[in-house]
C-alpha cells in the first residue's frame, strides 16, 4: 500500500500526488501564456518557441509546417476530450477531470482483461495508457530540450530550457542526475518517453519519471 499522501482519497479519484503533478504540468508547461486556462494560443506559442530554437524561420519550411500541423492536431484532440463545456478553453478542473476519466478507463480495461484474456485491448488512441495527442506532444517537448538536435538531451540543455520555466538551475541539474542515473543513462527520445509516461501515471514518488520536469518534490 502507498502512503496516505499519494493514495487515492476515493475509489473514483486519482491520488493527490498524481493530481499535484498534473496541475504542475498544466500551469508550468501547458499554460504557455499563463492565462489560467488552455486554448490554441498556448500550443501556438509553444510551436513558435520550438521553431525559433530549431531555426525553422521560413513559413513554408517543411519542419515548420509539420510543427504547426502537429500542434493543431494535439490541441484539437485534447479539446475533444477535455473541453467538457465546449467553450474553447480547458480549465485546470477540466484537465484533472480528463485525467481522472483516463485513469478510470485504464482501471476498467485492466479488470476486463483479467476477466477475459482473449478480449482485444479497448484502448484505441492510447499508448501505455497515455492519449496519442500526448505522445505527439512529448516528442515536441523532447525537441524543445534537444537544442543541438543530436537526438540526446544533456544536463546543460535540460537546465537551460527549464530556466525559462522558472526552475532553479540546482534543481534541474539534480533532477537530471537522478533520472539519468548519474548521467550513465542516455536521455534519448525513447527514454524520455518512458520517463514521461511514468510521470503521468505513477503514484510512487521515488519513480524516476517524476523528476522529468525538474521539480524534486510533489509532496509539500
Amino acid at each position: 500500500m502507498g502512503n496516505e499522501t499519494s493514495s487515492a482519497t476515493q475509489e473514483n479519484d486519482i491520488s493527490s500526488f498524481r493530481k499535484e503533478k498534473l496541475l504542475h504540468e498544466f500551469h508550468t508547461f501547458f499554460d504557455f501564456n499563463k492565462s489560467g486556462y488552455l486554448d490554441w494560443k498556448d500550443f501556438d506559442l509553444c510551436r513558435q518557441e520550438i521553431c525559433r530554437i530549431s531555426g525553422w524561420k521560413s513559413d513554408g519550411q517543411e519542419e515548420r509546417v509539420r510543427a504547426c500541423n502537429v500542434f493543431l492536431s494535439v490541441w484539437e484532440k485534447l479539446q475533444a476530450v477535455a473541453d467538457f463545456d465546449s467553450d474553447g478553453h480547458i480549465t485546470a478542473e477540466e484537465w484533472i477531470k480528463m485525467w481522472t476519466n483516463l485513469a478510470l478507463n485504464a482501471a476498467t480495461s485492466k479488470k476486463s482483461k483479467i476477466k477475459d484474456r482473449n478480449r482485444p485491448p479497448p484502448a484505441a488512441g492510447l499508448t501505455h495508457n497515455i492519449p496519442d495527442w500526448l505522445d505527439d506532444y512529448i516528442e515536441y517537448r523532447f525537441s524543445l530540450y534537444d537544442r543541438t538536435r543530436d537526438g540526446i538531451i544533456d544536463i546543460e540543455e535540460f537546465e537551460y530550457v527549464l530556466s525559462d520555466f522558472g526552475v532553479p538551475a540546482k534543481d534541474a541539474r539534480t533532477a537530471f542526475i537522478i533520472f539519468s542515473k548519474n548521467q550513465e543513462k542516455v536521455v534519448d527520445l525513447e527514454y524520455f518517453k518512458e520517463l514521461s509516461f511514468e510521470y503521468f501515471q505513477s503514484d510512487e514518488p521515488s519513480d524516476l519519471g517524476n523528476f522529468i520536469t525538474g521539480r524534486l518534490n510533489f509532496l509539500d
Side-chain angles (χ1 to χ4, degrees), residues 17-162:
F17 173 70
R18 195 187 306 191
K19 188 177 295 184
E20 180 66 22
K21 290 191 297 176
L22 293 171
L23 288 174
H24 176 69
E25 186 74 14
F26 178 95
H27 292 296
T28 305
F29 298 101
F30 275 80
D31 185 11
F32 218 76
N33 61 5
K34 306 306 176 190
S35 63
Y37 56 81
L38 307 185
D39 60 11
W40 164 241
K41 293 179 182 178
D42 294 299
F43 292 84
D44 192 38
L45 286 171
C46 185
R47 174 194 64 81
Q48 291 178 37
E49 179 65 9
I50 289 176
C51 288
R52 182 189 67 80
I53 291 175
S54 304
W56 303 335
K57 298 179 180 180
S58 173
D59 288 339
Q61 191 169 350
E62 181 179 352
E63 293 87 352
R64 189 178 180 92
V65 172
R66 181 174 181 271
C68 182
N69 291 337
V70 169
F71 271 88
L72 182 58
S73 175
V74 167
W75 164 244
E76 289 176 344
K77 290 177 181 178
L78 175 59
Q79 186 180 20
V81 296
D83 184 10
F84 292 96
D85 59 5
S86 301
D87 65 350
H89 300 153
I90 297 173
T91 64
E93 291 75 16
E94 289 175 315
W95 172 258
I96 292 298
K97 182 178 179 180
M98 176 197 68
W99 283 106
T100 301
N101 289 345
L102 284 171
L104 290 173
N105 290 340
T108 301
S109 175
K110 184 176 181 180
K111 290 179 181 179
S112 297
K113 288 178 182 179
I114 293 175
K115 291 181 179 179
D116 183 1
R117 295 184 181 276
N118 295 322
R119 181 178 178 181
L126 294 181
T127 304
H128 299 282
N129 293 329
I130 290 293
D132 56 357
W133 62 261
L134 185 59
D135 190 52
D136 292 338
Y137 182 84
I138 288 171
E139 289 193 15
Y140 272 86
R141 178 85 154 264
F142 180 86
S143 297
L144 184 63
Y145 287 115
D146 183 20
R147 301 184 70 248
T148 60
R149 297 294 172 262
D150 62 354
I152 296 172
I153 301 172
D154 62 35
I155 194 168
E156 285 77 19
E157 291 172 320
F158 190 72
E159 176 189 336
Y160 179 85
V161 172
L162 285 183

Side-chain angles (χ1 to χ4, degrees), residues 201-216:
Q201 298 178 96
S202 172
D203 290 313
E204 175 52 57
S206 63
D207 284 343
L208 298 183
N210 293 323
F211 299 92
I212 198 69
T213 66
R215 181 166 167 175
L216 301 178

